[in-house]
Amino acid sequence: MFAFIVRRVLQAIVVMLIISFIGFALKQNVGDPVRELTGISVSAAERDAIREKLGLNDPFLVQYGRFLKGAVLEGNIGQSFFYKKPAMEVIVSKAPATLELVLVCSVLIVVLSIPMGIYSAIYPKRLLSRLIMGFSTIGVSVPIFLIAILLIYVFSIKLGWLPSYGRGETVNVWGWESGLLTVDGLKHLLLPATALTALMLPLFVRLIRSEMMEVLETEYVKFAWAKGLPRVRIWFVHAFKNTLLPVITVGGVQIGTMIAFTILTETVFQWGGLGFLFLEAVERADTSLLVAYLIFVGVIFVVVNTVVDIIYGLVNPMVRITGRK
């Protein structure tokens, strides 16, 4: 198992180097930060002087080497041109909003998808199962921005029950600006969390249903029925336990995907998180901030998937054997 973990960690390091290289390469081709900083009234000579001061005239490999050196030795992945502070500091200040949104969505998905998927697998021909699968098909087909706009129209404009934008009231807990500890913050969180959950929930419902229906047809489950075991034990111990392996794998990938999809959600709800920050960085050609965002999301993807691989290896030893071969 130790060798398995070491291989996964080394693979994660290689992937992060590739992500950093691609992100830094994009930095050279996304707008002109000097133009965005100075406007059109500054002369070309002054712009060249600013570029020289910022190191933007150096060759690509020199800039990338300087970037890697700062990232590895100092934890510095660039200076935001707009905010005039380290890009990672800006990312960290906006991360709590996005991470809380993803956390709430993850909890809702787990709480809702497991009973819905199990019920649909056990009773596939019942009316409720057909309704669940019908709504899941609609959820997969409808784009998230349309769901978000519909929620705002119904619950904010027509009914006036919930706020339509912003994070609301937050409290500082050990440097973490949290909206989960205030009533106003929870009200502001409800609509964006529902919109993001509606995008991801159908995938997990359909995945759990299909995997469990397949497991219910296996020989060892039929043998458990023949032995006269209680049906609850067969469903949840024998069938659902073996359904979890692919669900864990897909769940790990989708956590990173949800962080990426918050760009649309945060834009519609004006949610001050990483997605909204990314769009602002694109508009301002703040390339250092763009690279920092890509690396931050890449780190989350790599860490989550590495942890999932390790958990998968612990749960199913065949993964370790296959990986060794």
Side-chain angles (χ1 to χ4, degrees):
M1 188 63 199
F2 178 75
F4 177 79
I5 294 174
V6 170
R7 284 199 304 272
R8 287 294 181 267
V9 172
L10 291 176
Q11 289 173 5
I13 293 173
V14 172
V15 170
M16 282 310 307
L17 287 173
I18 295 172
I19 291 174
S20 68
F21 184 83
I22 294 173
F24 199 82
L26 291 174
K27 176 180 178 180
Q28 310 300 312
N29 299 288
V30 180
D32 183 1
V34 175
R35 184 184 60 192
E36 298 296 328
L37 286 171
T38 58
I40 60 175
S41 59
V42 178
S43 66
E46 291 174 314
R47 290 183 185 179
D48 287 336
I50 294 174
R51 285 194 182 91
E52 189 67 32
K53 181 180 178 181
L54 294 175
L56 299 177
N57 290 333
D58 295 336
F60 171 78
L61 291 179
V62 173
Q63 293 187 52
Y64 181 65
R66 186 166 58 232
F67 169 79
L68 276 184
K69 180 181 177 181
V72 175
L73 299 181
E74 304 171 7
N76 180 15
I77 56 176
Q79 190 87 359
S80 171
F81 300 127
F82 179 79
Y83 289 95
K84 303 293 192 301
K85 58 174 69 172
M88 185 51 68
E89 184 179 329
V90 180
I91 294 288
V92 170
S93 68
K94 300 292 185 179
T98 298
L99 295 179
E100 284 184 358
L101 180 59
V102 172
L103 173 63
V104 172
C105 291
S106 301
V107 172
L108 289 174
I109 288 170
V110 170
V111 171
L112 295 175
S113 65
I114 291 177
M116 292 168 69
I118 292 175
Y119 182 87
S120 300
I122 295 172
Y123 306 111
K125 295 184 180 181
R126 290 193 176 181
L127 177 61
L128 182 57
S129 297
R130 296 180 184 275
L131 290 174
I132 290 173
M133 297 311 297
F135 280 114
S136 68
T137 302
I138 295 173
V140 171
S141 306
V142 179
I144 187 170
F145 67 88
L146 188 59
I147 296 173
I149 293 172
L150 181 63
L151 288 173
I152 291 174
Y153 178 75
V154 174
F155 293 101
S156 295
I157 297 176
K158 285 296 183 182
L159 299 177
W161 290 352
L162 296 169
S164 61
Y165 66 93
R167 287 193 69 195
E169 183 183 356
T170 60
V171 293
N172 191 295
V173 182
W174 297 314
W176 182 285
E177 287 293 331
S178 176
L180 297 177
L181 304 178
T182 64
V183 175
D184 187 55
L186 290 173
K187 286 182 178 180
H188 281 78
L189 178 63
L190 193 54
L191 286 185
T194 302
L196 194 56
T197 301
L199 177 71
M200 296 296 177
L201 180 62
L203 170 65
F204 285 90
V205 171
R206 299 174 77 88
L207 177 63
I208 292 173
R209 177 183 181 271
S210 62
E211 291 293 333
M212 188 157 180
M213 288 182 72
E214 184 177 341
V215 172
L216 287 172
E217 295 297 322
T218 56
E219 295 299 325
Y220 67 86
V221 172
K222 293 178 181 178
F223 182 68
W225 283 112
K227 285 171 46 177
L229 294 178
R231 57 182 181 178
V232 173
R233 179 177 177 81
I234 295 174
W235 289 337
F236 291 97
V237 177
H238 291 76
F240 181 63
K241 182 179 178 181
N242 290 284
T243 302
L244 283 177
L245 292 177
V247 175
I248 291 173
T249 303
V250 174
V253 175
Q254 292 305 314
I255 289 176
T257 303
M258 276 197 289
I259 293 176
F261 269 110
T262 56
I263 293 176
L264 292 175
T265 307
E266 291 182 9
T267 301
V268 175
F269 291 100
Q270 295 294 290
W271 187 262
L274 294 176
F276 195 65
L277 178 69
F278 175 79
L279 288 181
E280 287 184 332
V282 172
E283 292 174 356
R284 295 164 178 162
D286 195 340
T287 52
S288 294
L289 196 54
L290 287 175
V291 173
Y293 173 84
L294 293 174
I295 291 176
F296 181 81
V297 174
V299 167
I300 292 176
F301 264 103
V302 170
V303 169
V304 169
N305 282 280
T306 302
V307 171
V308 167
D309 283 343
I310 293 172
I311 293 173
Y312 209 69
L314 291 171
V315 174
N316 185 4
M318 291 300 296
V319 174
R320 301 198 296 265
I321 295 172
T322 305
R324 190 179 300 118
K325 290 180 181 179

